[in-house]
Amino acid sequence: MTMFNEARMGRLGDLTAATDLVDDVAASVMRNQGALINLVRLKQADDYTYLHSVAVCAMMIALARQLGLPDQEVRDCGMAGLLHDLGKVAIPPEILNKPGKLTDEEFQQVKRHPVAGFEALAGWQDVPDIARDVCLHHHERYDGKGYPHGLKGEQISQHARMGAVCDVYDAITSNRPYKEGWCPADSLRRMAEWTKEGHFDPVLFAAFVKCMGIYPVGTLLRLKSSRLGVVVDNSKSLLKPIVKVFFSAKSMGYIPPVEVDLSIPGSTEAIVAREEASAWGFGDTSHYWANM
């Protein structure tokens, strides 16, 4: 937080604390894939840019590991995720948090943040080249319709293409003043559609889906038995995760929480549909999976 506040005041930052944070996030992801989801989803509306950056840091590390990149490159990807939105400190908060639609002039100010961040990092010592590149190019699109330079396909570095996927996923799953976040599974479905339209590198998006799971941790599901539950582990199977059921749609009442492993051979349980917690009046369901 100090690093972001220093940048906001126009002062150069000390990367020591940031490096320690990246190391901690990397260690957490390596110990437990569920830690990634905890970082991504346990966020507050306040200090969004900072928390968004920590989440993208975690996802960049996980995606880099999924791709089999060398350890130092994985670490540099984490630093890139942490610093990718640094340029947003130059955007007035009333624009960043505006509840309504941005004017053309306001949107142009927002679109300047990659360059602003890149210029800020130019004066920082020991910043990996990967971090500078991702900061500048994480809003480029695979079809060439992004910004600030309209790069296309392989003109965009692999790291920046990774950053684009991680940045968008966290943004659309987050609650903001102007919109409610989408559920993880629905977010991946929509991103798959955008990939077909040319937004993301299809190979890297496929790796990201494998990394996060078809049904990410925290997704609310309705099972064949008419029980509802949240995904608590998808490491064994992308299509058949472990679900903690806690509600019966038949009796319309809560039941004692119990884990159901859908990947067990011969299981008669199956996923019927994804559900929205708000539609069932559940509110926050994170306590069912946050401590897994």
PDB file of all heavy atoms in Angstrom, residues 244-246 255-259 288:
ATOM      1  N   LYS A 244     -19.214 -28.345  -1.593  1.00  0.00           N
ATOM      2  CA  LYS A 244     -19.769 -28.374  -0.241  1.00  0.00           C
ATOM      3  C   LYS A 244     -21.237 -27.964  -0.332  1.00  0.00           C
ATOM      4  O   LYS A 244     -21.568 -26.797  -0.559  1.00  0.00           O
ATOM      5  CB  LYS A 244     -19.017 -27.434   0.697  1.00  0.00           C
ATOM      6  CG  LYS A 244     -19.581 -27.452   2.127  1.00  0.00           C
ATOM      7  CD  LYS A 244     -18.762 -26.605   3.081  1.00  0.00           C
ATOM      8  CE  LYS A 244     -17.506 -27.307   3.502  1.00  0.00           C
ATOM      9  NZ  LYS A 244     -16.790 -26.577   4.588  1.00  0.00           N
ATOM     10  N   VAL A 245     -22.141 -28.950  -0.179  1.00  0.00           N
ATOM     11  CA  VAL A 245     -23.574 -28.668  -0.268  1.00  0.00           C
ATOM     12  C   VAL A 245     -24.080 -28.186   1.092  1.00  0.00           C
ATOM     13  O   VAL A 245     -23.615 -28.636   2.140  1.00  0.00           O
ATOM     14  CB  VAL A 245     -24.365 -29.911  -0.735  1.00  0.00           C
ATOM     15  CG1 VAL A 245     -23.947 -30.300  -2.136  1.00  0.00           C
ATOM     16  CG2 VAL A 245     -24.142 -31.077   0.214  1.00  0.00           C
ATOM     17  N   PHE A 246     -25.046 -27.251   1.047  1.00  0.00           N
ATOM     18  CA  PHE A 246     -25.545 -26.671   2.296  1.00  0.00           C
ATOM     19  C   PHE A 246     -27.026 -26.302   2.236  1.00  0.00           C
ATOM     20  O   PHE A 246     -27.592 -25.821   3.215  1.00  0.00           O
ATOM     21  CB  PHE A 246     -24.734 -25.416   2.653  1.00  0.00           C
ATOM     22  CG  PHE A 246     -24.852 -24.313   1.627  1.00  0.00           C
ATOM     23  CD1 PHE A 246     -25.855 -23.359   1.709  1.00  0.00           C
ATOM     24  CD2 PHE A 246     -23.954 -24.236   0.577  1.00  0.00           C
ATOM     25  CE1 PHE A 246     -25.967 -22.351   0.770  1.00  0.00           C
ATOM     26  CE2 PHE A 246     -24.051 -23.228  -0.374  1.00  0.00           C
ATOM     27  CZ  PHE A 246     -25.067 -22.288  -0.275  1.00  0.00           C
ATOM     28  N   ILE A 255     -29.262 -27.275   5.029  1.00  0.00           N
ATOM     29  CA  ILE A 255     -28.944 -28.599   5.532  1.00  0.00           C
ATOM     30  C   ILE A 255     -27.519 -28.573   6.083  1.00  0.00           C
ATOM     31  O   ILE A 255     -26.749 -27.662   5.764  1.00  0.00           O
ATOM     32  CB  ILE A 255     -29.049 -29.672   4.407  1.00  0.00           C
ATOM     33  CG1 ILE A 255     -28.135 -29.312   3.228  1.00  0.00           C
ATOM     34  CG2 ILE A 255     -30.491 -29.797   3.935  1.00  0.00           C
ATOM     35  CD1 ILE A 255     -28.125 -30.324   2.107  1.00  0.00           C
ATOM     36  N   PRO A 256     -27.160 -29.536   6.927  1.00  0.00           N
ATOM     37  CA  PRO A 256     -25.793 -29.557   7.452  1.00  0.00           C
ATOM     38  C   PRO A 256     -24.792 -29.633   6.296  1.00  0.00           C
ATOM     39  O   PRO A 256     -24.914 -30.492   5.421  1.00  0.00           O
ATOM     40  CB  PRO A 256     -25.751 -30.840   8.296  1.00  0.00           C
ATOM     41  CG  PRO A 256     -27.175 -31.060   8.699  1.00  0.00           C
ATOM     42  CD  PRO A 256     -27.987 -30.606   7.531  1.00  0.00           C
ATOM     43  N   PRO A 257     -23.811 -28.726   6.251  1.00  0.00           N
ATOM     44  CA  PRO A 257     -22.843 -28.722   5.155  1.00  0.00           C
ATOM     45  C   PRO A 257     -22.056 -30.030   5.077  1.00  0.00           C
ATOM     46  O   PRO A 257     -21.628 -30.566   6.094  1.00  0.00           O
ATOM     47  CB  PRO A 257     -21.910 -27.556   5.504  1.00  0.00           C
ATOM     48  CG  PRO A 257     -22.714 -26.682   6.419  1.00  0.00           C
ATOM     49  CD  PRO A 257     -23.575 -27.626   7.204  1.00  0.00           C
ATOM     50  N   VAL A 258     -21.916 -30.554   3.882  1.00  0.00           N
ATOM     51  CA  VAL A 258     -21.157 -31.783   3.671  1.00  0.00           C
ATOM     52  C   VAL A 258     -20.482 -31.709   2.305  1.00  0.00           C
ATOM     53  O   VAL A 258     -21.047 -31.150   1.352  1.00  0.00           O
ATOM     54  CB  VAL A 258     -22.063 -33.029   3.752  1.00  0.00           C
ATOM     55  CG1 VAL A 258     -23.152 -32.990   2.687  1.00  0.00           C
ATOM     56  CG2 VAL A 258     -21.238 -34.309   3.644  1.00  0.00           C
ATOM     57  N   GLU A 259     -19.260 -32.231   2.214  1.00  0.00           N
ATOM     58  CA  GLU A 259     -18.539 -32.211   0.945  1.00  0.00           C
ATOM     59  C   GLU A 259     -18.932 -33.402   0.071  1.00  0.00           C
ATOM     60  O   GLU A 259     -19.030 -34.534   0.559  1.00  0.00           O
ATOM     61  CB  GLU A 259     -17.026 -32.225   1.193  1.00  0.00           C
ATOM     62  CG  GLU A 259     -16.508 -30.921   1.780  1.00  0.00           C
ATOM     63  CD  GLU A 259     -14.986 -30.903   1.858  1.00  0.00           C
ATOM     64  OE1 GLU A 259     -14.352 -31.843   1.333  1.00  0.00           O
ATOM     65  OE2 GLU A 259     -14.443 -29.950   2.445  1.00  0.00           O
ATOM     66  N   TYR A 288     -18.107 -20.700   3.198  1.00  0.00           N
ATOM     67  CA  TYR A 288     -18.139 -22.142   2.947  1.00  0.00           C
ATOM     68  C   TYR A 288     -16.846 -22.655   2.332  1.00  0.00           C
ATOM     69  O   TYR A 288     -16.554 -23.842   2.401  1.00  0.00           O
ATOM     70  CB  TYR A 288     -19.312 -22.502   2.024  1.00  0.00           C
ATOM     71  CG  TYR A 288     -20.669 -22.397   2.700  1.00  0.00           C
ATOM     72  CD1 TYR A 288     -21.557 -21.394   2.344  1.00  0.00           C
ATOM     73  CD2 TYR A 288     -21.046 -23.285   3.691  1.00  0.00           C
ATOM     74  CE1 TYR A 288     -22.797 -21.294   2.944  1.00  0.00           C
ATOM     75  CE2 TYR A 288     -22.276 -23.180   4.316  1.00  0.00           C
ATOM     76  CZ  TYR A 288     -23.145 -22.185   3.942  1.00  0.00           C
ATOM     77  OH  TYR A 288     -24.369 -22.082   4.560  1.00  0.00           O
TER      78      TYR A 288
END
